[in-house]
Amino acid sequence: MERAVPHAVPLGQIEVFQALQRLHMTIFSQSVSPCGKFLAAGNNYGQIAIFSLSAALSSEAKEESKKPVVTFQAHDGPVYCMVSTDRHLLSAGDGEVKAWLWAEILKKGCKELWRRQPPYRTSLEVPEINALLLVPKENSLILAGGDCQLHTMDLETGTFTRALRGHTDYIHCLALRERSPEVLSGGEDGTVRLWG
């Protein structure tokens, strides 16, 4: 994934700048497209790159086939987590979740469809969102992170319907028991919690 180069950088230094960025790049998240043909990868620079899995994994793949087919700036800070629905790619970073239409991304017309921010305890608090989880039966999205809470968002209306408190430190992962449906969360406080 390439990051935009500052305008004042001489042409001879652009390659060095991009090589340094790749050297210090961290991929925090990934998600496969609904069709299964593309992989989205989110990095510490706030970019999302889309790779063609068939081209990259082909036995005849060349170096060019392994590069992103499209890269776009999604967030100002790192893209900590992503998840795909049947039509959307959802990404989260510092304090907010955004939606992108897969059909538009693949046409290289990456325009943000919407963005939502959970109700945080104070207006000064902008914690990172470390985990996203789809709950298909309820058509909802659960997000969690630095504010130690799980937030449930109704995907149809875009409203946040509840916040679950119990963790005492950052939440890093979420899992779904679909039959129940119950959600499990794990965090830096060393606990795994079950929510009904």
Side-chain angles (χ1 to χ4, degrees):
M1 295 185 345
E2 303 294 328
R3 185 157 188 202
V5 178
H7 298 293
V9 176
L11 190 59
Q13 294 178 353
I14 290 175
E15 291 83 14
V16 173
F17 180 79
Q18 290 175 339
L20 285 171
Q21 283 188 315
R22 281 191 300 275
L23 182 64
H24 296 285
M25 183 182 296
T26 301
I27 302 299
F28 283 114
S29 56
Q30 58 186 354
S31 185
V32 176
S33 67
C35 66
K37 295 179 182 177
F38 298 94
L39 174 72
N43 70 20
N44 57 314
Y45 297 120
Q47 299 169 320
I48 295 176
I50 309 297
F51 296 87
S52 168
L53 290 174
S54 57
L57 300 175
S58 165
S59 59
E60 299 167 8
K62 296 184 172 39
E63 200 57 40
E64 193 64 30
S65 318
K66 298 175 184 177
K67 293 184 177 179
V69 293
V70 67
T71 300
F72 62 98
Q73 191 68 37
H75 295 268
D76 293 333
V79 181
Y80 289 117
C81 53
M82 292 188 294
V83 68
S84 290
T85 70
D86 57 349
R87 296 181 56 226
H88 301 103
L89 173 64
L90 306 177
S91 65
D94 289 332
E96 64 186 3
V97 61
K98 295 182 178 184
W100 319 85
L101 275 172
W102 268 109
E104 296 301 316
I105 293 171
L106 299 175
K107 290 179 189 173
K108 301 180 183 179
C110 309
K111 291 185 180 167
E112 176 186 311
L113 186 60
W114 52 257
R115 72 172 64 193
R116 301 287 186 275
Q117 185 173 13
Y120 296 119
R121 294 179 195 160
T122 69
S123 60
L124 300 175
E125 184 179 26
V126 184
E128 61 193 46
I129 297 171
N130 297 319
L132 294 175
L133 177 69
L134 290 173
V135 184
K137 286 182 181 177
E138 298 175 2
N139 194 26
S140 64
L141 175 72
I142 297 177
L143 44 123
D147 72 342
C148 312
Q149 299 179 69
L150 282 76
H151 298 274
T152 302
M153 186 181 94
D154 182 310
L155 283 170
E156 193 168 320
T157 64
T159 57
F160 287 91
T161 56
R162 66 181 175 162
L164 301 171
R165 295 173 181 85
H167 282 280
T168 58
D169 210 338
Y170 279 47
I171 300 168
H172 284 285
C173 53
L174 298 169
L176 177 66
R177 291 182 63 199
E178 288 190 54
R179 287 187 179 169
S180 304
E182 293 172 326
V183 174
L184 295 114
S185 59
E188 285 189 31
D189 58 6
T191 66
V192 173
R193 295 183 179 266
L194 178 66
W195 311 88

